[in-house]
Amino acid sequence: MPKILSLLLFFVLGYTQAQTPQKLNASEIHQEIKKLNFLGSVLYVGAHPDDENTRLISYFANKQNARVGYLSLTRGDGGQNLIGPELREQLGLIRTQELLAARNIDGGEQFFTRANDFGYSKNPEETLQIWNKDKVLSDVVLSIRKFKPDVIINRFDHRSPGSTHGHHTASAMLSLEAFELAARPTAYPDQLKYTSVFQPKRVFFNTSHWFYGSREAFEEADKSAMLSLDVGVYFPELGLSNSEIAALSRSQHQSQGFGSTGTRGQAKEYLELIKGDMPQADVFEGINTSWSRLEGGKEIGEILGQVESQFNFRDPSQSLPQLIEAYKLIQELKNDHWKEVKSEHIREIIVACSGLFLEAVATKPSATRGEQVPLELEAINRSSFPISLNSVELSPNNSRIPVNQSLANNQSWTEELMFRLPESVENTSPYWLKSESTNGMYKVAEPGLIGLPETPVQSLASFILNFNGTEIKIKRPVIHKFNDPVLGETYRPFLIIPELSVSFEKDVEIFEKAEPRSISVILRAGKDSLKGSLRLEAGKNWKILPEEASFKINQKGGTAIRTFEIIPPDNQDETLIKPIAKVGDREYSDKLIQIDYKHIPLQNLVIPAKVKAVRIEIEKKGEYIGYIDGAGDAVPQSLEQIGYRVEHLEPGEISSQSLKKFDAVVTGIRAYNVVEELRYKQKDLLEYVKNGGNLIVQYNTSRGLIVDNPAPYPLQISRDRVTDEKAAVNFVTRDHPVLNKPNRITKKDFKNWVQERGLYFPDQWSKEFTPVLSMNDEGEEATQGSLLVAKYGKGYFIYTGLSFFRQFPEGVPGAYRLFANMVSIGKE
């Protein structure tokens, strides 16, 4: 990936979880000086990861040199994952990092609210009720007050409720309300303890033909209140167009499959004015974006103007005397906001111009509280400018290492020492997941963390440097670095982990019979020499043997596995089983999850360990299922929990003959959208049904189907969905076998569903199909397309948009019972 121009604030603390640190070349340093000399800002507002317009963010950051932020109200927790099994909170963690990777490319900064993406919402009223409107609004106000944007751009139209995702419309509505409230001292006054009121100049809506229904309709629309921008500019210093940068940025959304191909040439974007005065050609028109907007700023601007015009590309250090003079003047500014922003920025430009390399490397990838960590410090000045290293301060233990050494040109200073973590240090984990969330909101105990993309790094090395008489502190996160035989120098975040983590092999244990089952508990040591005991807690109807088990782990990273027998009740019931491990006088019950993908840094998540145990009254006909993986789900593992044998099928090897052995074949979610080979295997699948097999097709989207029709008879997939997981479910065909054999399905089986009933239901089908269920969201007509069954030859074809892929991992009994009936149909 090329080094794209990005705000150096990201380099300072934003690369908290980053990998290889950026090292700017002379052209990039010069571009950062241009940005330093521009005091205008834009805040782009949307609802989810991927809502942002990366072309506009890159345009404002790299063409206009503005400070640009993207406020995503949610972290995308409610979506699907195309790269792995992670859903909900873990998916939100992945998408958070994908957004940070995108901003590192397009030059923006990233912010969030505490809103939890609870899934699709059909209107903003529902959205704001589930989210807790007042809290999310306060977070939007806080983002405006802290970022202080001159201009706000909304991704969505506040005037069109019901025409798009309720989260989308709600984001625009909240943005407009916050635009007014941010300037009022009486609005959320507690925020003023650590920020100040602010009034942006204007608000735009980033409109396009999509909001008008067609390109033709948009061409005919009145554009007198719209500002048109050509964002297809070319950057010779990068060899890339703005649209190519935007495509690289958008392609970071890998969990959503949003790989994008860059374009070249003219690219128009339209901004419709919603509030404020109408500019003629530039969103910053009438706004002073020079240093003269600040008291005491004029002289700074004059100095930096000379630095920009006289910059020596062969020797950037020639700019250091003027940059240091500007830095000293910035420290005297009365405007605290711009003082903080520009101080961080100019510090990193000074570092880049001097060729300074500053690093603090932990020789271990992780440590626990109270542990001593070998640390390697390095500082090197690769310029002739006189710089000395006074000292290095380490946190969180607040130690100081005196150095007092001149850094001669290209002469490295290094020191090895032991760095002790205090007992009070917290585990490396996302701050918004420390407390259990509600369906609509994350809980954040510390107000200062609200809005931040990730938890600030705790382990820091601050290098106190003297630049020819001027002292400047440069912060660097403690990182872990090693040499990979294939990749070479490899950076990883330095992690603080629990002394002992406890986990189960599965998140859900399904008991189809009232028979004992053994489950294993895995204990992993975060330090050497751990000895203790382990017990499990469960509901009163469940018995666990033994009552306690002892363990001993000698080395850090070592594990011990202890097995317990779980005896379920005779009748349907469920409980949470929680582990409690005791070492000395300390108890441990958290599990450690690490999420590791190549396109994002390693993520560390520490959350309470638990397994949901569910005793289900269930019967089955048929035992052997073939599963064709789609966009990613845990359905196969879930079916194995209730006693099925599941074989993952390679699409290229499917034939009508090879399928004969299966009692049913099931396609994963969106298989007909993402598995290209099914285009050529559809005939074999339908032949299997014709010969007596059962084919269960889980939901697909109508857009991007790789076959004309996934069914043997006419069937049209729509965007119909029922988002209320508590919506009433009625039985259209009460006597249908899928509702009666071998399990009698009742209304009780639709209790405790999560996130939604289902999505992308067909809205038209031929007479051969029998609709089984009817359901609807409040205020809408009932839809009958959630579960369709058709006899085809000797077998059955079933199409379902019900969200089994969400219910199974949550151990919803009724979902298992209904799916077992679908597999069993025709086998009575």
Side-chain angles (χ1 to χ4, degrees):
M1 181 185 298
K3 289 185 292 183
I4 306 296
L5 306 176
S6 61
L7 192 69
L8 279 168
L9 278 172
F10 177 81
F11 184 91
V12 184
L13 294 176
Y15 114 106
T16 61
Q17 310 295 330
Q19 298 166 56
T20 305
Q22 299 173 350
K23 303 181 181 84
L24 302 185
N25 61 40
S27 293
E28 291 166 337
I29 295 171
H30 188 245
Q31 181 66 22
E32 291 301 329
I33 292 170
K34 291 180 181 179
K35 290 186 178 186
L36 182 65
N37 219 4
F38 189 91
L39 278 72
S41 53
V42 177
L43 183 65
Y44 198 90
V45 180
H48 311 104
D50 82 13
D51 283 346
E52 82 274 32
N53 186 331
T54 54
R55 293 200 311 185
L56 272 181
I57 291 175
S58 178
Y59 175 81
F60 286 122
N62 300 313
K63 173 61 178 176
Q64 294 204 298
N65 298 316
R67 187 178 181 221
V68 189
Y70 174 47
L71 174 60
S72 176
L73 268 59
T74 76
R75 296 176 185 265
D77 328 71
Q80 282 121 48
N81 185 359
L82 296 185
I83 61 174
E86 297 88 359
L87 291 175
R88 292 302 308 151
E89 290 82 2
Q90 293 183 45
L91 176 59
L93 184 55
I94 291 171
R95 292 189 173 179
T96 294
Q97 291 300 317
E98 289 177 338
L99 277 172
L100 287 172
R103 297 296 78 80
N104 190 33
I105 289 173
D106 59 36
E109 298 176 65
Q110 186 61 51
F111 308 103
F112 295 95
T113 73
R114 289 170 290 175
N116 190 343
D117 180 2
F118 56 85
Y120 193 87
S121 177
K122 292 182 177 178
N123 60 73
E125 291 76 23
E126 177 197 50
T127 296
L128 295 174
Q129 183 179 11
I130 295 175
W131 272 354
N132 185 328
K133 177 190 173 183
D134 186 65
K135 288 184 179 180
V136 181
L137 177 60
S138 75
D139 292 356
V140 180
V141 170
L142 180 62
S143 290
I144 293 172
R145 286 173 170 173
K146 291 174 71 175
F147 190 73
K148 302 193 185 312
D150 297 303
V151 176
I152 295 175
I153 300 175
N154 291 337
R155 183 68 183 99
F156 299 103
D157 189 353
H158 66 288
R159 301 160 295 192
S160 57
S163 64
T164 182
H165 198 321
H167 297 183
H168 292 168
T169 311
S171 71
M173 294 168 64
L174 291 172
S175 173
L176 290 181
E177 195 169 346
F179 174 83
E180 304 288 349
L181 293 177
R184 298 179 189 172
T186 55
Y188 308 110
D190 287 350
Q191 295 179 1
L192 303 182
K193 296 174 184 177
Y194 42 88
T195 187
S196 59
V197 296
F198 184 76
Q199 180 61 67
K201 185 75 171 179
R202 47 182 72 107
V203 181
F204 293 97
F205 159 45
N206 182 197
T207 190
S208 69
H209 72 273
W210 189 85
F211 295 95
Y212 283 76
S214 69
R215 293 184 183 276
E216 293 75 19
F218 185 59
E219 288 176 3
E220 296 175 2
D222 178 13
K223 296 184 178 62
S224 58
M226 296 183 194
L227 188 65
S228 172
L229 302 175
D230 179 8
V231 298
V233 294
Y234 175 66
F235 299 110
E237 64 271 32
L238 295 174
L240 293 168
S241 70
N242 186 67
S243 300
E244 288 173 313
I245 295 174
L248 289 169
S249 173
R250 189 159 185 78
S251 295
Q252 300 311 300
H253 296 298
Q254 293 186 23
S255 65
Q256 302 186 72
F258 282 159
S260 183
T261 299
T263 61
R264 289 141 294 279
Q266 188 180 73
K268 287 291 186 71
E269 288 287 347
Y270 292 88
L271 304 177
E272 178 186 352
L273 183 70
I274 303 298
K275 288 190 176 185
D277 57 320
M278 182 67 188
Q280 298 302 308
D282 184 356
V283 298
F284 292 110
E285 192 173 294
I287 300 172
N288 186 355
T289 57
S290 72
W291 280 94
S292 65
R293 75 183 290 175
L294 305 177
E295 181 182 346
K298 183 179 179 182
E299 186 179 354
I300 298 171
E302 290 172 351
I303 294 171
L304 294 177
Q306 293 177 10
V307 172
E308 183 181 329
S309 63
Q310 299 172 9
F311 185 74
N312 187 327
F313 286 86
R314 290 185 175 275
D315 185 6
S317 67
Q318 294 294 314
S319 298
L320 285 171
Q322 291 169 297
L323 286 170
I324 290 167
E325 184 62 28
Y327 173 79
K328 290 190 289 186
L329 292 173
I330 291 172
Q331 305 318 298
E332 298 174 6
L333 289 174
K334 296 180 180 179
N335 186 302
D336 291 335
H337 169 71
W338 283 112
K339 176 182 177 180
E340 180 183 355
V341 170
K342 294 301 184 180
S343 291
E344 295 289 356
H345 199 175
I346 197 170
R347 273 195 283 265
E348 290 302 327
I349 291 174
I350 289 170
V351 168
C353 284
S354 60
L356 263 174
F357 181 82
L358 306 169
E359 196 166 74
V361 178
T363 59
K364 298 180 180 180
S366 62
T368 61
R369 55 185 177 179
E371 185 176 349
Q372 279 197 331
V373 182
L375 201 63
E376 298 174 352
L377 303 176
E378 181 180 0
I380 183 169
N381 169 23
R382 290 170 289 188
S383 75
S384 58
F385 192 85
I387 303 172
S388 59
L389 177 61
N390 293 349
S391 60
V392 180
E393 296 174 355
L394 299 176
S395 60
N397 67 355
N398 299 319
S399 60
R400 181 177 178 275
I401 300 108
V403 180
N404 299 318
Q405 180 167 325
S406 175
L407 298 178
N409 190 354
N410 213 30
Q411 298 294 312
S412 180
W413 170 86
T414 61
E415 184 163 328
E416 297 181 2
L417 53 92
M418 297 301 292
F419 172 60
R420 181 180 291 278
L421 292 171
E423 291 288 336
S424 60
V425 72
E426 295 186 351
N427 294 318
T428 304
S429 196
Y431 71 86
W432 65 95
L433 298 179
K434 286 185 178 179
S435 301
E436 188 171 352
S437 64
T438 66
N439 188 34
M441 295 294 295
Y442 285 115
K443 297 177 183 178
V444 180
E446 300 178 44
L449 295 175
I450 294 173
L452 296 181
E454 55 187 343
T455 308
V457 123
Q458 297 180 80
S459 303
L460 290 170
S462 297
F463 293 82
I464 315 302
L465 297 143
N466 187 303
F467 289 80
N468 198 26
T470 300
E471 187 173 277
I472 300 178
K473 179 187 289 188
I474 307 297
K475 296 179 180 180
R476 289 291 180 264
V478 175
I479 50 88
H480 175 60
K481 185 172 70 172
F482 61 95
N483 185 71
D484 184 278
V486 175
L487 302 176
E489 186 179 56
T490 302
Y491 283 80
R492 284 273 177 119
F494 171 66
L495 305 174
I496 301 168
I497 62 174
E499 293 95 330
L500 180 70
S501 60
V502 191
S503 63
F504 296 96
E505 291 180 321
K506 302 172 185 174
D507 293 329
V508 175
E509 290 282 352
I510 305 296
F511 293 77
E512 59 167 326
K513 298 176 182 178
E515 296 177 353
R517 179 186 300 174
S518 295
I519 67 170
S520 296
V521 184
I522 305 165
L523 302 108
R524 183 177 297 275
K527 60 188 297 185
D528 294 338
S529 303
L530 289 180
K531 181 181 180 181
S533 61
L534 172 68
R535 61 186 173 88
L536 302 182
E537 291 185 345
K540 62 180 181 179
N541 296 326
W542 297 71
K543 296 180 181 178
I544 300 175
L545 297 174
E547 292 185 359
E548 186 176 274
S550 61
F551 67 87
K552 182 180 181 180
I553 309 174
N554 294 323
Q555 292 183 324
K556 176 178 180 176
T559 60
I561 298 177
R562 294 295 176 264
T563 301
F564 293 81
E565 186 176 64
I566 310 298
I567 305 171
D570 292 334
N571 301 318
Q572 189 158 301
D573 193 19
E574 60 184 62
T575 188
L576 288 179
I577 300 176
K578 301 178 181 179
I580 299 177
K582 193 168 184 179
V583 178
D585 59 353
R586 285 183 174 175
E587 291 187 345
Y588 302 90
S589 57
D590 288 340
K591 67 176 176 179
L592 172 62
I593 299 172
Q594 293 193 329
I595 301 173
D596 194 7
Y597 288 102
K598 290 182 179 179
H599 68 299
I600 61 173
L602 175 69
Q603 295 300 295
N604 209 61
L605 175 61
V606 180
I607 56 176
K610 58 187 176 182
V611 60
K612 184 177 183 180
V614 183
R615 165 72 174 100
I616 296 179
E617 295 174 346
I618 189 171
E619 295 181 29
K620 310 187 306 294
K621 299 291 184 181
E623 298 293 334
Y624 199 13
I625 293 175
Y627 201 87
I628 302 171
D629 293 317
D633 57 61
V635 172
Q637 300 93 309
S638 300
L639 294 175
E640 289 173 340
Q641 286 253 33
I642 55 172
Y644 286 110
R645 287 192 301 141
V646 182
E647 180 179 329
H648 291 264
L649 302 179
E650 290 295 331
E653 298 176 3
I654 289 174
S655 68
S656 57
Q657 186 66 29
S658 68
L659 299 178
K660 283 184 177 181
K661 59 186 177 183
F662 297 111
D663 295 301
V665 172
V666 181
T667 65
I669 60 172
R670 295 174 61 185
Y672 284 95
N673 296 126
V674 300
V675 183
E676 181 66 25
E677 292 95 330
L678 289 183
R679 181 192 305 273
Y680 313 104
K681 297 299 179 179
Q682 181 70 350
K683 181 180 177 181
D684 296 288
L685 289 169
L686 295 182
E687 187 69 20
Y688 159 74
V689 181
K690 202 171 186 179
N691 291 333
N694 290 342
L695 177 61
I696 301 171
V697 175
Q698 297 183 86
Y699 95 91
N700 293 270
T701 64
S702 56
R703 184 177 179 181
L705 278 175
I706 52 93
V707 295
D708 293 333
N709 182 10
Y713 306 115
L715 176 147
Q716 178 176 288
I717 300 171
S718 72
R719 296 183 63 85
D720 289 351
R721 62 173 75 205
V722 175
T723 61
D724 183 358
E725 64 272 25
K726 298 178 182 178
V729 177
N730 297 307
F731 302 147
V732 178
T733 315
R734 172 67 266 188
D735 60 350
H736 196 282
V738 84
L739 293 178
N740 292 279
K741 299 177 182 179
N743 305 289
R744 181 169 174 78
I745 303 300
T746 69
K747 297 291 182 70
K748 184 179 178 181
D749 288 296
F750 291 94
K751 287 185 177 180
N752 300 320
W753 281 48
V754 299
Q755 186 159 325
E756 62 201 358
R757 289 295 188 197
L759 64 171
Y760 294 103
F761 299 161
D763 61 355
Q764 294 181 37
W765 51 85
S766 68
K767 60 181 177 59
E768 287 83 2
F769 284 102
T770 299
V772 177
L773 304 173
S774 171
M775 59 188 73
N776 60 277
D777 283 320
E778 185 177 356
E780 297 184 358
E781 293 185 4
T783 175
Q784 298 184 356
S786 63
L787 180 57
L788 301 172
V789 184
K791 191 82 166 66
Y792 182 65
K794 298 178 182 179
Y796 286 87
F797 176 91
I798 298 177
Y799 188 94
T800 179
L802 294 172
S803 296
F804 290 103
F805 74 101
R806 293 198 188 281
Q807 313 316 315
F808 285 171
E810 298 296 326
V812 178
Y816 281 93
R817 285 163 47 83
L818 178 56
F819 206 94
N821 282 10
M822 291 158 56
V823 172
S824 303
I825 192 168
K827 296 178 174 57
E828 298 84 10

